[in-house]
Amino acid sequence: MRLISLLTIMGLIVSCTAQDVPPASRSAQFDGYPQNLFNSFKTDCAGPGDKFVKTGTSSFECREILSPEATAYLILNFDGYSQNLPKIVTRLSSAKNQAGYRVDAELFFIVPQKSGSILKIPIESDELDRDFSRLYTEYGGTPV
C-alpha cells in the first residue's frame, strides 16, 4: 500500500515538472550548415501554387497562393491589386557565426498594391514560433 502511495506521489511530481520543451522562437543555432533543413524546405515548397525562390546566397523563400477567401480578404482590407494576387511567404535565412550557423525564419503576406508597391504584413503567432522551434530541434538546431 505504501508503494502505491509513493508511486502516485512520484507520478504527480513528474507530471507537474517542466518538460524539455524548446523555447518558442523563429531563430536557432546550428553547429554546422543545416543543409538537410534547407533541402527539406525546398522539397516541401514544390506543390501546386508554390514557388521556391533563392533570394540571396543564404536566403530562401517559399511563396504560396492562398485560398480564395484569404485572397479576397487581403485584397479588400489592404487595398490590394486583383491583377497580382497576394501570397503567403515563408523565408529562411542563415548567417555564419562563431558557433556555426544561425537560422532565422520569417512568415508574412505580400499584398501587391495598385500603385505597384508591395505591402508586407508580418504573421505573428506563438503557436507558429513553437512549430519553428520543433522543426529546428528535429534538424539538430537549438532554438534561441
Side-chain angles (χ1 to χ4, degrees):
M1 189 67 153
R2 229 172 170 192
L3 182 59
I4 294 173
S5 296
L6 183 58
L7 289 175
T8 303
I9 292 170
M10 289 298 287
L12 287 172
I13 291 172
V14 170
S15 67
C16 293
T17 304
Q19 304 297 313
D20 289 337
V21 176
S25 177
R26 293 196 185 183
S27 300
Q29 182 66 41
F30 291 82
D31 293 334
Y33 186 76
Q35 187 65 53
N36 289 340
L37 173 68
F38 289 118
N39 287 345
S40 179
F41 182 65
K42 183 176 183 178
T43 300
D44 287 346
C45 186
D50 295 348
K51 183 177 181 184
F52 180 80
V53 180
K54 184 174 181 179
T55 58
T57 56
S58 58
S59 183
F60 309 93
E61 290 182 356
C62 183
R63 298 178 183 178
E64 303 172 62
I65 60 170
L66 299 161
S67 69
E69 296 82 8
T71 299
Y73 175 85
L74 290 169
I75 289 171
L76 294 173
N77 287 287
F78 294 98
D79 198 29
Y81 183 54
S82 60
Q83 301 304 312
N84 191 359
L85 301 179
K87 293 181 178 51
I88 187 168
V89 178
T90 304
R91 178 184 294 155
L92 289 182
S93 57
S94 67
K96 187 162 179 42
N97 59 26
Q98 291 181 347
Y101 286 86
R102 178 185 169 112
V103 175
D104 298 296
E106 290 181 76
L107 192 62
F108 53 91
F109 295 111
I110 53 173
V111 183
Q113 304 290 286
K114 293 175 186 170
S115 66
S117 63
I118 293 182
L119 181 63
K120 179 180 168 183
I121 304 166
I123 301 170
E124 300 296 330
S125 164
D126 290 338
E127 184 61 34
L128 285 171
D129 294 350
R130 284 189 288 277
D131 290 344
F132 276 111
S133 290
R134 283 190 288 272
L135 177 72
Y136 291 144
T137 302
E138 286 177 24
Y139 283 93
T142 304
V144 291

PDB file of all heavy atoms in Angstrom, residues 4-44:
ATOM      1  N   ILE A   4       2.181   1.963  -3.518  1.00  0.00           N
ATOM      2  CA  ILE A   4       1.194   2.587  -4.404  1.00  0.00           C
ATOM      3  C   ILE A   4       1.094   4.078  -4.101  1.00  0.00           C
ATOM      4  O   ILE A   4       1.050   4.904  -5.010  1.00  0.00           O
ATOM      5  CB  ILE A   4      -0.175   1.891  -4.270  1.00  0.00           C
ATOM      6  CG1 ILE A   4      -0.064   0.464  -4.800  1.00  0.00           C
ATOM      7  CG2 ILE A   4      -1.249   2.667  -4.989  1.00  0.00           C
ATOM      8  CD1 ILE A   4      -1.285  -0.377  -4.580  1.00  0.00           C
ATOM      9  N   SER A   5       1.088   4.451  -2.825  1.00  0.00           N
ATOM     10  CA  SER A   5       1.032   5.866  -2.451  1.00  0.00           C
ATOM     11  C   SER A   5       2.272   6.602  -2.931  1.00  0.00           C
ATOM     12  O   SER A   5       2.189   7.720  -3.439  1.00  0.00           O
ATOM     13  CB  SER A   5       0.917   6.014  -0.937  1.00  0.00           C
ATOM     14  OG  SER A   5      -0.291   5.472  -0.489  1.00  0.00           O
ATOM     15  N   LEU A   6       3.429   5.959  -2.792  1.00  0.00           N
ATOM     16  CA  LEU A   6       4.678   6.571  -3.227  1.00  0.00           C
ATOM     17  C   LEU A   6       4.686   6.763  -4.745  1.00  0.00           C
ATOM     18  O   LEU A   6       5.080   7.813  -5.236  1.00  0.00           O
ATOM     19  CB  LEU A   6       5.869   5.707  -2.793  1.00  0.00           C
ATOM     20  CG  LEU A   6       7.249   6.258  -3.117  1.00  0.00           C
ATOM     21  CD1 LEU A   6       7.443   7.626  -2.469  1.00  0.00           C
ATOM     22  CD2 LEU A   6       8.315   5.290  -2.663  1.00  0.00           C
ATOM     23  N   LEU A   7       4.227   5.762  -5.492  1.00  0.00           N
ATOM     24  CA  LEU A   7       4.166   5.867  -6.952  1.00  0.00           C
ATOM     25  C   LEU A   7       3.193   6.954  -7.388  1.00  0.00           C
ATOM     26  O   LEU A   7       3.458   7.686  -8.346  1.00  0.00           O
ATOM     27  CB  LEU A   7       3.776   4.526  -7.576  1.00  0.00           C
ATOM     28  CG  LEU A   7       4.842   3.432  -7.523  1.00  0.00           C
ATOM     29  CD1 LEU A   7       4.284   2.130  -8.053  1.00  0.00           C
ATOM     30  CD2 LEU A   7       6.074   3.842  -8.298  1.00  0.00           C
ATOM     31  N   THR A   8       2.081   7.086  -6.700  1.00  0.00           N
ATOM     32  CA  THR A   8       1.104   8.130  -7.018  1.00  0.00           C
ATOM     33  C   THR A   8       1.717   9.505  -6.808  1.00  0.00           C
ATOM     34  O   THR A   8       1.577  10.395  -7.652  1.00  0.00           O
ATOM     35  CB  THR A   8      -0.156   7.965  -6.149  1.00  0.00           C
ATOM     36  OG1 THR A   8      -0.690   6.663  -6.364  1.00  0.00           O
ATOM     37  CG2 THR A   8      -1.186   9.017  -6.480  1.00  0.00           C
ATOM     38  N   ILE A   9       2.420   9.696  -5.692  1.00  0.00           N
ATOM     39  CA  ILE A   9       3.062  10.975  -5.393  1.00  0.00           C
ATOM     40  C   ILE A   9       4.154  11.270  -6.416  1.00  0.00           C
ATOM     41  O   ILE A   9       4.248  12.387  -6.935  1.00  0.00           O
ATOM     42  CB  ILE A   9       3.626  10.980  -3.955  1.00  0.00           C
ATOM     43  CG1 ILE A   9       2.467  10.968  -2.962  1.00  0.00           C
ATOM     44  CG2 ILE A   9       4.528  12.186  -3.730  1.00  0.00           C
ATOM     45  CD1 ILE A   9       2.864  10.738  -1.528  1.00  0.00           C
ATOM     46  N   MET A  10       4.946  10.255  -6.772  1.00  0.00           N
ATOM     47  CA  MET A  10       6.006  10.438  -7.769  1.00  0.00           C
ATOM     48  C   MET A  10       5.387  10.812  -9.127  1.00  0.00           C
ATOM     49  O   MET A  10       5.911  11.671  -9.835  1.00  0.00           O
ATOM     50  CB  MET A  10       6.851   9.171  -7.912  1.00  0.00           C
ATOM     51  CG  MET A  10       7.733   8.890  -6.708  1.00  0.00           C
ATOM     52  SD  MET A  10       8.927  10.194  -6.420  1.00  0.00           S
ATOM     53  CE  MET A  10      10.035   9.893  -7.760  1.00  0.00           C
ATOM     54  N   GLY A  11       4.285  10.171  -9.469  1.00  0.00           N
ATOM     55  CA  GLY A  11       3.603  10.491 -10.724  1.00  0.00           C
ATOM     56  C   GLY A  11       3.133  11.935 -10.758  1.00  0.00           C
ATOM     57  O   GLY A  11       3.245  12.612 -11.783  1.00  0.00           O
ATOM     58  N   LEU A  12       2.599  12.405  -9.650  1.00  0.00           N
ATOM     59  CA  LEU A  12       2.165  13.796  -9.578  1.00  0.00           C
ATOM     60  C   LEU A  12       3.335  14.759  -9.700  1.00  0.00           C
ATOM     61  O   LEU A  12       3.246  15.779 -10.382  1.00  0.00           O
ATOM     62  CB  LEU A  12       1.409  14.052  -8.277  1.00  0.00           C
ATOM     63  CG  LEU A  12       0.002  13.462  -8.195  1.00  0.00           C
ATOM     64  CD1 LEU A  12      -0.553  13.611  -6.783  1.00  0.00           C
ATOM     65  CD2 LEU A  12      -0.911  14.147  -9.199  1.00  0.00           C
ATOM     66  N   ILE A  13       4.437  14.437  -9.058  1.00  0.00           N
ATOM     67  CA  ILE A  13       5.616  15.298  -9.118  1.00  0.00           C
ATOM     68  C   ILE A  13       6.140  15.369 -10.553  1.00  0.00           C
ATOM     69  O   ILE A  13       6.426  16.441 -11.071  1.00  0.00           O
ATOM     70  CB  ILE A  13       6.711  14.805  -8.146  1.00  0.00           C
ATOM     71  CG1 ILE A  13       6.264  15.032  -6.710  1.00  0.00           C
ATOM     72  CG2 ILE A  13       8.042  15.517  -8.421  1.00  0.00           C
ATOM     73  CD1 ILE A  13       7.160  14.409  -5.668  1.00  0.00           C
ATOM     74  N   VAL A  14       6.245  14.221 -11.198  1.00  0.00           N
ATOM     75  CA  VAL A  14       6.753  14.178 -12.572  1.00  0.00           C
ATOM     76  C   VAL A  14       5.816  14.923 -13.514  1.00  0.00           C
ATOM     77  O   VAL A  14       6.250  15.675 -14.379  1.00  0.00           O
ATOM     78  CB  VAL A  14       6.965  12.709 -13.029  1.00  0.00           C
ATOM     79  CG1 VAL A  14       7.245  12.637 -14.513  1.00  0.00           C
ATOM     80  CG2 VAL A  14       8.091  12.075 -12.234  1.00  0.00           C
ATOM     81  N   SER A  15       4.512  14.746 -13.343  1.00  0.00           N
ATOM     82  CA  SER A  15       3.570  15.414 -14.247  1.00  0.00           C
ATOM     83  C   SER A  15       3.558  16.922 -14.046  1.00  0.00           C
ATOM     84  O   SER A  15       3.211  17.660 -14.963  1.00  0.00           O
ATOM     85  CB  SER A  15       2.161  14.851 -14.076  1.00  0.00           C
ATOM     86  OG  SER A  15       1.650  15.181 -12.808  1.00  0.00           O
ATOM     87  N   CYS A  16       3.964  17.390 -12.889  1.00  0.00           N
ATOM     88  CA  CYS A  16       3.989  18.828 -12.631  1.00  0.00           C
ATOM     89  C   CYS A  16       5.348  19.448 -12.950  1.00  0.00           C
ATOM     90  O   CYS A  16       5.497  20.662 -12.916  1.00  0.00           O
ATOM     91  CB  CYS A  16       3.649  19.105 -11.164  1.00  0.00           C
ATOM     92  SG  CYS A  16       1.942  18.684 -10.774  1.00  0.00           S
ATOM     93  N   THR A  17       6.345  18.622 -13.247  1.00  0.00           N
ATOM     94  CA  THR A  17       7.671  19.117 -13.559  1.00  0.00           C
ATOM     95  C   THR A  17       7.713  19.584 -15.004  1.00  0.00           C
ATOM     96  O   THR A  17       7.151  18.958 -15.886  1.00  0.00           O
ATOM     97  CB  THR A  17       8.722  17.998 -13.343  1.00  0.00           C
ATOM     98  OG1 THR A  17       8.603  17.522 -12.006  1.00  0.00           O
ATOM     99  CG2 THR A  17      10.122  18.508 -13.587  1.00  0.00           C
ATOM    100  N   ALA A  18       8.402  20.688 -15.244  1.00  0.00           N
ATOM    101  CA  ALA A  18       8.509  21.211 -16.606  1.00  0.00           C
ATOM    102  C   ALA A  18       9.198  20.198 -17.510  1.00  0.00           C
ATOM    103  O   ALA A  18      10.185  19.578 -17.131  1.00  0.00           O
ATOM    104  CB  ALA A  18       9.304  22.515 -16.589  1.00  0.00           C
ATOM    105  N   GLN A  19       8.645  20.004 -18.687  1.00  0.00           N
ATOM    106  CA  GLN A  19       9.206  19.087 -19.664  1.00  0.00           C
ATOM    107  C   GLN A  19      10.232  19.841 -20.509  1.00  0.00           C
ATOM    108  O   GLN A  19      10.289  21.058 -20.522  1.00  0.00           O
ATOM    109  CB  GLN A  19       8.092  18.522 -20.550  1.00  0.00           C
ATOM    110  CG  GLN A  19       6.979  17.846 -19.772  1.00  0.00           C
ATOM    111  CD  GLN A  19       7.448  16.639 -18.999  1.00  0.00           C
ATOM    112  OE1 GLN A  19       8.149  15.812 -19.537  1.00  0.00           O
ATOM    113  NE2 GLN A  19       7.084  16.551 -17.743  1.00  0.00           N
ATOM    114  N   ASP A  20      11.053  19.093 -21.233  1.00  0.00           N
ATOM    115  CA  ASP A  20      12.057  19.691 -22.097  1.00  0.00           C
ATOM    116  C   ASP A  20      11.406  20.178 -23.387  1.00  0.00           C
ATOM    117  O   ASP A  20      11.468  19.526 -24.418  1.00  0.00           O
ATOM    118  CB  ASP A  20      13.165  18.691 -22.420  1.00  0.00           C
ATOM    119  CG  ASP A  20      14.050  18.409 -21.225  1.00  0.00           C
ATOM    120  OD1 ASP A  20      14.097  19.265 -20.330  1.00  0.00           O
ATOM    121  OD2 ASP A  20      14.694  17.352 -21.197  1.00  0.00           O
ATOM    122  N   VAL A  21      10.769  21.310 -23.306  1.00  0.00           N
ATOM    123  CA  VAL A  21      10.125  21.915 -24.457  1.00  0.00           C
ATOM    124  C   VAL A  21      10.999  23.092 -24.887  1.00  0.00           C
ATOM    125  O   VAL A  21      11.324  23.949 -24.077  1.00  0.00           O
ATOM    126  CB  VAL A  21       8.699  22.407 -24.100  1.00  0.00           C
ATOM    127  CG1 VAL A  21       8.062  23.117 -25.277  1.00  0.00           C
ATOM    128  CG2 VAL A  21       7.843  21.248 -23.635  1.00  0.00           C
ATOM    129  N   PRO A  22      11.406  23.117 -26.181  1.00  0.00           N
ATOM    130  CA  PRO A  22      12.248  24.232 -26.606  1.00  0.00           C
ATOM    131  C   PRO A  22      11.484  25.548 -26.529  1.00  0.00           C
ATOM    132  O   PRO A  22      10.262  25.576 -26.655  1.00  0.00           O
ATOM    133  CB  PRO A  22      12.599  23.880 -28.052  1.00  0.00           C
ATOM    134  CG  PRO A  22      11.576  22.917 -28.501  1.00  0.00           C
ATOM    135  CD  PRO A  22      11.088  22.208 -27.270  1.00  0.00           C
ATOM    136  N   PRO A  23      12.207  26.653 -26.336  1.00  0.00           N
ATOM    137  CA  PRO A  23      11.528  27.946 -26.294  1.00  0.00           C
ATOM    138  C   PRO A  23      10.904  28.252 -27.654  1.00  0.00           C
ATOM    139  O   PRO A  23      11.408  27.820 -28.692  1.00  0.00           O
ATOM    140  CB  PRO A  23      12.663  28.931 -25.982  1.00  0.00           C
ATOM    141  CG  PRO A  23      13.907  28.239 -26.431  1.00  0.00           C
ATOM    142  CD  PRO A  23      13.660  26.770 -26.237  1.00  0.00           C
ATOM    143  N   ALA A  24       9.797  28.954 -27.646  1.00  0.00           N
ATOM    144  CA  ALA A  24       9.133  29.340 -28.890  1.00  0.00           C
ATOM    145  C   ALA A  24       9.973  30.417 -29.567  1.00  0.00           C
ATOM    146  O   ALA A  24      10.157  31.500 -29.021  1.00  0.00           O
ATOM    147  CB  ALA A  24       7.723  29.847 -28.603  1.00  0.00           C
ATOM    148  N   SER A  25      10.522  30.078 -30.726  1.00  0.00           N
ATOM    149  CA  SER A  25      11.419  31.006 -31.399  1.00  0.00           C
ATOM    150  C   SER A  25      11.435  30.760 -32.901  1.00  0.00           C
ATOM    151  O   SER A  25      11.269  29.630 -33.350  1.00  0.00           O
ATOM    152  CB  SER A  25      12.838  30.845 -30.846  1.00  0.00           C
ATOM    153  OG  SER A  25      13.735  31.678 -31.536  1.00  0.00           O
ATOM    154  N   ARG A  26      11.683  31.800 -33.641  1.00  0.00           N
ATOM    155  CA  ARG A  26      11.832  31.662 -35.092  1.00  0.00           C
ATOM    156  C   ARG A  26      13.298  31.658 -35.481  1.00  0.00           C
ATOM    157  O   ARG A  26      13.638  31.720 -36.664  1.00  0.00           O
ATOM    158  CB  ARG A  26      11.108  32.792 -35.808  1.00  0.00           C
ATOM    159  CG  ARG A  26       9.611  32.678 -35.612  1.00  0.00           C
ATOM    160  CD  ARG A  26       8.843  33.497 -36.564  1.00  0.00           C
ATOM    161  NE  ARG A  26       7.428  33.400 -36.199  1.00  0.00           N
ATOM    162  CZ  ARG A  26       6.468  33.971 -36.874  1.00  0.00           C
ATOM    163  NH1 ARG A  26       6.744  34.651 -37.949  1.00  0.00           N
ATOM    164  NH2 ARG A  26       5.220  33.840 -36.479  1.00  0.00           N
ATOM    165  N   SER A  27      14.176  31.548 -34.494  1.00  0.00           N
ATOM    166  CA  SER A  27      15.617  31.524 -34.745  1.00  0.00           C
ATOM    167  C   SER A  27      16.234  30.333 -34.033  1.00  0.00           C
ATOM    168  O   SER A  27      15.738  29.900 -32.990  1.00  0.00           O
ATOM    169  CB  SER A  27      16.273  32.808 -34.224  1.00  0.00           C
ATOM    170  OG  SER A  27      15.719  33.927 -34.862  1.00  0.00           O
ATOM    171  N   ALA A  28      17.313  29.817 -34.613  1.00  0.00           N
ATOM    172  CA  ALA A  28      18.006  28.686 -33.997  1.00  0.00           C
ATOM    173  C   ALA A  28      19.483  28.724 -34.368  1.00  0.00           C
ATOM    174  O   ALA A  28      19.863  29.294 -35.396  1.00  0.00           O
ATOM    175  CB  ALA A  28      17.392  27.362 -34.448  1.00  0.00           C
ATOM    176  N   GLN A  29      20.268  28.103 -33.518  1.00  0.00           N
ATOM    177  CA  GLN A  29      21.708  27.983 -33.744  1.00  0.00           C
ATOM    178  C   GLN A  29      22.011  26.538 -34.132  1.00  0.00           C
ATOM    179  O   GLN A  29      21.525  25.609 -33.498  1.00  0.00           O
ATOM    180  CB  GLN A  29      22.484  28.367 -32.470  1.00  0.00           C
ATOM    181  CG  GLN A  29      23.968  28.329 -32.626  1.00  0.00           C
ATOM    182  CD  GLN A  29      24.496  29.381 -33.602  1.00  0.00           C
ATOM    183  OE1 GLN A  29      24.040  30.519 -33.616  1.00  0.00           O
ATOM    184  NE2 GLN A  29      25.429  28.995 -34.437  1.00  0.00           N
ATOM    185  N   PHE A  30      22.816  26.362 -35.177  1.00  0.00           N
ATOM    186  CA  PHE A  30      23.245  25.047 -35.640  1.00  0.00           C
ATOM    187  C   PHE A  30      24.767  24.995 -35.596  1.00  0.00           C
ATOM    188  O   PHE A  30      25.431  25.996 -35.893  1.00  0.00           O
ATOM    189  CB  PHE A  30      22.780  24.799 -37.084  1.00  0.00           C
ATOM    190  CG  PHE A  30      21.297  24.622 -37.225  1.00  0.00           C
ATOM    191  CD1 PHE A  30      20.451  25.721 -37.293  1.00  0.00           C
ATOM    192  CD2 PHE A  30      20.738  23.357 -37.308  1.00  0.00           C
ATOM    193  CE1 PHE A  30      19.077  25.565 -37.429  1.00  0.00           C
ATOM    194  CE2 PHE A  30      19.367  23.183 -37.436  1.00  0.00           C
ATOM    195  CZ  PHE A  30      18.536  24.290 -37.499  1.00  0.00           C
ATOM    196  N   ASP A  31      25.314  23.824 -35.267  1.00  0.00           N
ATOM    197  CA  ASP A  31      26.766  23.673 -35.231  1.00  0.00           C
ATOM    198  C   ASP A  31      27.376  23.810 -36.623  1.00  0.00           C
ATOM    199  O   ASP A  31      28.421  24.409 -36.796  1.00  0.00           O
ATOM    200  CB  ASP A  31      27.159  22.314 -34.636  1.00  0.00           C
ATOM    201  CG  ASP A  31      26.808  22.205 -33.163  1.00  0.00           C
ATOM    202  OD1 ASP A  31      26.728  23.258 -32.484  1.00  0.00           O
ATOM    203  OD2 ASP A  31      26.613  21.071 -32.688  1.00  0.00           O
ATOM    204  N   GLY A  32      26.726  23.216 -37.615  1.00  0.00           N
ATOM    205  CA  GLY A  32      27.187  23.282 -38.993  1.00  0.00           C
ATOM    206  C   GLY A  32      26.076  23.796 -39.881  1.00  0.00           C
ATOM    207  O   GLY A  32      24.960  24.065 -39.427  1.00  0.00           O
ATOM    208  N   TYR A  33      26.377  23.928 -41.163  1.00  0.00           N
ATOM    209  CA  TYR A  33      25.377  24.425 -42.099  1.00  0.00           C
ATOM    210  C   TYR A  33      24.221  23.434 -42.169  1.00  0.00           C
ATOM    211  O   TYR A  33      24.430  22.245 -42.430  1.00  0.00           O
ATOM    212  CB  TYR A  33      25.986  24.624 -43.487  1.00  0.00           C
ATOM    213  CG  TYR A  33      25.031  25.266 -44.456  1.00  0.00           C
ATOM    214  CD1 TYR A  33      24.758  26.627 -44.378  1.00  0.00           C
ATOM    215  CD2 TYR A  33      24.386  24.516 -45.431  1.00  0.00           C
ATOM    216  CE1 TYR A  33      23.867  27.231 -45.264  1.00  0.00           C
ATOM    217  CE2 TYR A  33      23.501  25.110 -46.326  1.00  0.00           C
ATOM    218  CZ  TYR A  33      23.246  26.460 -46.229  1.00  0.00           C
ATOM    219  OH  TYR A  33      22.356  27.041 -47.098  1.00  0.00           O
ATOM    220  N   PRO A  34      22.982  23.869 -41.947  1.00  0.00           N
ATOM    221  CA  PRO A  34      21.820  22.965 -41.893  1.00  0.00           C
ATOM    222  C   PRO A  34      21.287  22.593 -43.286  1.00  0.00           C
ATOM    223  O   PRO A  34      20.143  22.899 -43.628  1.00  0.00           O
ATOM    224  CB  PRO A  34      20.811  23.752 -41.073  1.00  0.00           C
ATOM    225  CG  PRO A  34      21.130  25.181 -41.399  1.00  0.00           C
ATOM    226  CD  PRO A  34      22.617  25.231 -41.577  1.00  0.00           C
ATOM    227  N   GLN A  35      22.118  21.927 -44.072  1.00  0.00           N
ATOM    228  CA  GLN A  35      21.753  21.581 -45.448  1.00  0.00           C
ATOM    229  C   GLN A  35      20.467  20.763 -45.507  1.00  0.00           C
ATOM    230  O   GLN A  35      19.618  20.991 -46.370  1.00  0.00           O
ATOM    231  CB  GLN A  35      22.892  20.812 -46.123  1.00  0.00           C
ATOM    232  CG  GLN A  35      22.661  20.571 -47.599  1.00  0.00           C
ATOM    233  CD  GLN A  35      22.644  21.872 -48.399  1.00  0.00           C
ATOM    234  OE1 GLN A  35      23.561  22.674 -48.313  1.00  0.00           O
ATOM    235  NE2 GLN A  35      21.589  22.087 -49.178  1.00  0.00           N
ATOM    236  N   ASN A  36      20.300  19.808 -44.582  1.00  0.00           N
ATOM    237  CA  ASN A  36      19.082  18.985 -44.589  1.00  0.00           C
ATOM    238  C   ASN A  36      17.826  19.817 -44.352  1.00  0.00           C
ATOM    239  O   ASN A  36      16.784  19.556 -44.961  1.00  0.00           O
ATOM    240  CB  ASN A  36      19.168  17.867 -43.553  1.00  0.00           C
ATOM    241  CG  ASN A  36      20.157  16.797 -43.947  1.00  0.00           C
ATOM    242  OD1 ASN A  36      20.505  16.666 -45.115  1.00  0.00           O
ATOM    243  ND2 ASN A  36      20.626  16.037 -42.970  1.00  0.00           N
ATOM    244  N   LEU A  37      17.910  20.799 -43.495  1.00  0.00           N
ATOM    245  CA  LEU A  37      16.774  21.695 -43.249  1.00  0.00           C
ATOM    246  C   LEU A  37      16.395  22.432 -44.535  1.00  0.00           C
ATOM    247  O   LEU A  37      15.224  22.478 -44.916  1.00  0.00           O
ATOM    248  CB  LEU A  37      17.113  22.702 -42.139  1.00  0.00           C
ATOM    249  CG  LEU A  37      16.087  23.812 -41.890  1.00  0.00           C
ATOM    250  CD1 LEU A  37      14.800  23.235 -41.308  1.00  0.00           C
ATOM    251  CD2 LEU A  37      16.678  24.866 -40.962  1.00  0.00           C
ATOM    252  N   PHE A  38      17.396  22.985 -45.223  1.00  0.00           N
ATOM    253  CA  PHE A  38      17.112  23.740 -46.439  1.00  0.00           C
ATOM    254  C   PHE A  38      16.654  22.830 -47.575  1.00  0.00           C
ATOM    255  O   PHE A  38      15.798  23.216 -48.369  1.00  0.00           O
ATOM    256  CB  PHE A  38      18.328  24.579 -46.849  1.00  0.00           C
ATOM    257  CG  PHE A  38      18.565  25.739 -45.919  1.00  0.00           C
ATOM    258  CD1 PHE A  38      19.736  25.838 -45.192  1.00  0.00           C
ATOM    259  CD2 PHE A  38      17.604  26.726 -45.757  1.00  0.00           C
ATOM    260  CE1 PHE A  38      19.948  26.898 -44.330  1.00  0.00           C
ATOM    261  CE2 PHE A  38      17.805  27.795 -44.892  1.00  0.00           C
ATOM    262  CZ  PHE A  38      18.990  27.880 -44.172  1.00  0.00           C
ATOM    263  N   ASN A  39      17.207  21.617 -47.663  1.00  0.00           N
ATOM    264  CA  ASN A  39      16.737  20.668 -48.677  1.00  0.00           C
ATOM    265  C   ASN A  39      15.274  20.308 -48.449  1.00  0.00           C
ATOM    266  O   ASN A  39      14.481  20.246 -49.390  1.00  0.00           O
ATOM    267  CB  ASN A  39      17.589  19.396 -48.666  1.00  0.00           C
ATOM    268  CG  ASN A  39      18.965  19.614 -49.242  1.00  0.00           C
ATOM    269  OD1 ASN A  39      19.238  20.603 -49.904  1.00  0.00           O
ATOM    270  ND2 ASN A  39      19.864  18.679 -48.965  1.00  0.00           N
ATOM    271  N   SER A  40      14.919  20.075 -47.198  1.00  0.00           N
ATOM    272  CA  SER A  40      13.539  19.742 -46.854  1.00  0.00           C
ATOM    273  C   SER A  40      12.612  20.916 -47.156  1.00  0.00           C
ATOM    274  O   SER A  40      11.502  20.739 -47.665  1.00  0.00           O
ATOM    275  CB  SER A  40      13.448  19.351 -45.385  1.00  0.00           C
ATOM    276  OG  SER A  40      12.135  19.043 -45.033  1.00  0.00           O
ATOM    277  N   PHE A  41      13.055  22.117 -46.842  1.00  0.00           N
ATOM    278  CA  PHE A  41      12.284  23.330 -47.111  1.00  0.00           C
ATOM    279  C   PHE A  41      11.988  23.437 -48.607  1.00  0.00           C
ATOM    280  O   PHE A  41      10.865  23.700 -49.020  1.00  0.00           O
ATOM    281  CB  PHE A  41      13.064  24.547 -46.602  1.00  0.00           C
ATOM    282  CG  PHE A  41      12.351  25.863 -46.777  1.00  0.00           C
ATOM    283  CD1 PHE A  41      11.177  26.134 -46.091  1.00  0.00           C
ATOM    284  CD2 PHE A  41      12.879  26.837 -47.601  1.00  0.00           C
ATOM    285  CE1 PHE A  41      10.527  27.358 -46.243  1.00  0.00           C
ATOM    286  CE2 PHE A  41      12.243  28.064 -47.757  1.00  0.00           C
ATOM    287  CZ  PHE A  41      11.067  28.324 -47.079  1.00  0.00           C
ATOM    288  N   LYS A  42      13.005  23.197 -49.429  1.00  0.00           N
ATOM    289  CA  LYS A  42      12.830  23.272 -50.884  1.00  0.00           C
ATOM    290  C   LYS A  42      11.870  22.188 -51.374  1.00  0.00           C
ATOM    291  O   LYS A  42      10.992  22.445 -52.194  1.00  0.00           O
ATOM    292  CB  LYS A  42      14.177  23.134 -51.586  1.00  0.00           C
ATOM    293  CG  LYS A  42      14.085  23.272 -53.085  1.00  0.00           C
ATOM    294  CD  LYS A  42      15.455  23.225 -53.730  1.00  0.00           C
ATOM    295  CE  LYS A  42      15.331  23.432 -55.239  1.00  0.00           C
ATOM    296  NZ  LYS A  42      16.646  23.429 -55.889  1.00  0.00           N
ATOM    297  N   THR A  43      12.016  20.972 -50.852  1.00  0.00           N
ATOM    298  CA  THR A  43      11.152  19.862 -51.254  1.00  0.00           C
ATOM    299  C   THR A  43       9.702  20.133 -50.874  1.00  0.00           C
ATOM    300  O   THR A  43       8.783  19.855 -51.646  1.00  0.00           O
ATOM    301  CB  THR A  43      11.633  18.550 -50.600  1.00  0.00           C
ATOM    302  OG1 THR A  43      12.970  18.288 -51.032  1.00  0.00           O
ATOM    303  CG2 THR A  43      10.749  17.392 -50.979  1.00  0.00           C
ATOM    304  N   ASP A  44       9.486  20.675 -49.679  1.00  0.00           N
ATOM    305  CA  ASP A  44       8.126  20.966 -49.217  1.00  0.00           C
ATOM    306  C   ASP A  44       7.466  22.095 -50.008  1.00  0.00           C
ATOM    307  O   ASP A  44       6.249  22.241 -49.990  1.00  0.00           O
ATOM    308  CB  ASP A  44       8.122  21.323 -47.730  1.00  0.00           C
ATOM    309  CG  ASP A  44       8.367  20.116 -46.842  1.00  0.00           C
ATOM    310  OD1 ASP A  44       8.268  18.981 -47.337  1.00  0.00           O
ATOM    311  OD2 ASP A  44       8.658  20.325 -45.650  1.00  0.00           O
TER     312      ASP A  44
END
